[in-house]
Structures are given as structure tokens and as C-alpha cells.
Amino acid sequence: MQCYLRCSSLLSLVVLCVTGCDALGPQTQLEKWVETQKANQKLPKKIGDAQELIDIRAGEMELIQVIRLKNAGKSISDQQKEAIQKQVLREVQKKKNQIEDLINFKVLMTFQYQNKDGEMLHEVLIRPWEDL
């Protein structure tokens, strides 16, 4: 039996939609999908004028996307953090029907925002089974 994974965009990022193959568990499907994405995408990938997707990783039932904020310094304001949080949640909400498997498998979606020096500025955690 061949399994496949499909994805859609979110903020020009990838959103995991695990489908097919009952023989593989959700964690294995997630890890295989991340491997495929890393092999097929050229990272960093530009996201608008001020952001780049620089890494995609799988944690334990977690999809981690690392985004570089090009013009950020050593920190960002609480207002900027709140705007990022709202934007990510809004975009994920738009894709709710496309991420049903994420919801069913309870895969945590983590968006890590870094400055150009790789310092963590903000992290957005989305629990699609609760937050949407």
C-alpha cells in the first residue's frame, strides 16, 4: 500500500494534511511528510516582504515551522506579537476544512519566529482541535 501526504498553503507556508494509509501512524506520517517537504522545497522560502520560512520540523505530534523576521531586532513588541498571533490563527481558521486530519490526530502546530541572528522572538502554538 502506498501512502501519500498532501499540503496546502498558510501564509505561503505549508500546512500538514495527513491522508491515506492506515498502516502508518500519525507520527510516522508527519515525519515522512516533513522529510518530503524538506527535500522538495528550497529553504529559505520568501513569505511576503518581511518573512522567510527557514525550517520545517516534526516534533512529537507537532509540526514546527521556523520563520525569520527579516527586519526584526533583538525583540518585538507585545503589540507585534499579538498581531502575529491573530494573523496565524486567522489563516489557520481559513484552512480548517483542509486540516481535518491535524484536528483529528491532535497535531500541535508551532510557528517559531526568529530574528536574522537566529534568536527566538515569538512562538505561536495552535491546537487546531481546541483553537478552531
Side-chain angles (χ1 to χ4, degrees):
M1 173 186 284
Q2 185 171 4
C3 304
Y4 68 95
L5 301 168
R6 62 189 164 96
C7 64
S8 60
S9 65
L10 164 67
L11 302 171
S12 299
L13 301 175
V14 284
V15 171
L16 176 66
C17 298
V18 182
T19 60
C21 197
D22 293 331
L24 296 178
Q27 180 66 35
T28 302
Q29 290 184 54
L30 175 63
E31 291 168 3
K32 287 186 175 293
W33 180 84
V34 167
E35 287 174 20
T36 301
Q37 288 302 306
K38 286 184 126 178
N40 292 338
Q41 291 198 28
K42 294 180 180 177
L43 298 179
K45 183 177 181 178
K46 188 176 178 179
I47 306 168
D49 292 334
Q51 299 180 15
E52 292 178 311
L53 174 65
I54 59 172
D55 196 14
I56 304 168
R57 298 189 298 258
E60 186 66 34
M61 294 305 292
E62 179 180 20
L63 173 63
I64 303 165
Q65 298 178 55
V66 182
I67 299 107
R68 178 183 301 134
L69 298 175
K70 293 181 184 179
N71 300 323
K74 297 283 183 192
S75 66
I76 58 175
S77 71
D78 288 342
Q79 184 178 8
Q80 289 169 309
K81 290 177 182 178
E82 185 177 322
I84 289 170
Q85 180 91 17
K86 286 179 180 179
Q87 180 184 17
V88 169
L89 192 55
R90 186 173 46 250
E91 291 296 322
V92 172
Q93 180 68 37
K94 287 180 190 177
K95 305 294 184 188
K96 185 176 180 178
N97 292 336
Q98 297 173 7
I99 61 168
E100 287 181 24
D101 291 323
L102 275 177
I103 295 167
N104 293 336
F105 292 140
K106 295 189 176 181
V107 174
L108 179 67
M109 299 171 66
T110 302
F111 300 84
Q112 297 178 342
Y113 290 84
Q114 300 179 352
N115 65 15
K116 65 181 179 177
D117 297 324
E119 299 168 324
M120 181 72 68
L121 299 175
H122 187 50
E123 185 172 77
V124 178
L125 304 175
I126 303 290
R127 293 171 183 83
W129 64 97
E130 293 177 355
D131 298 337
L132 304 181

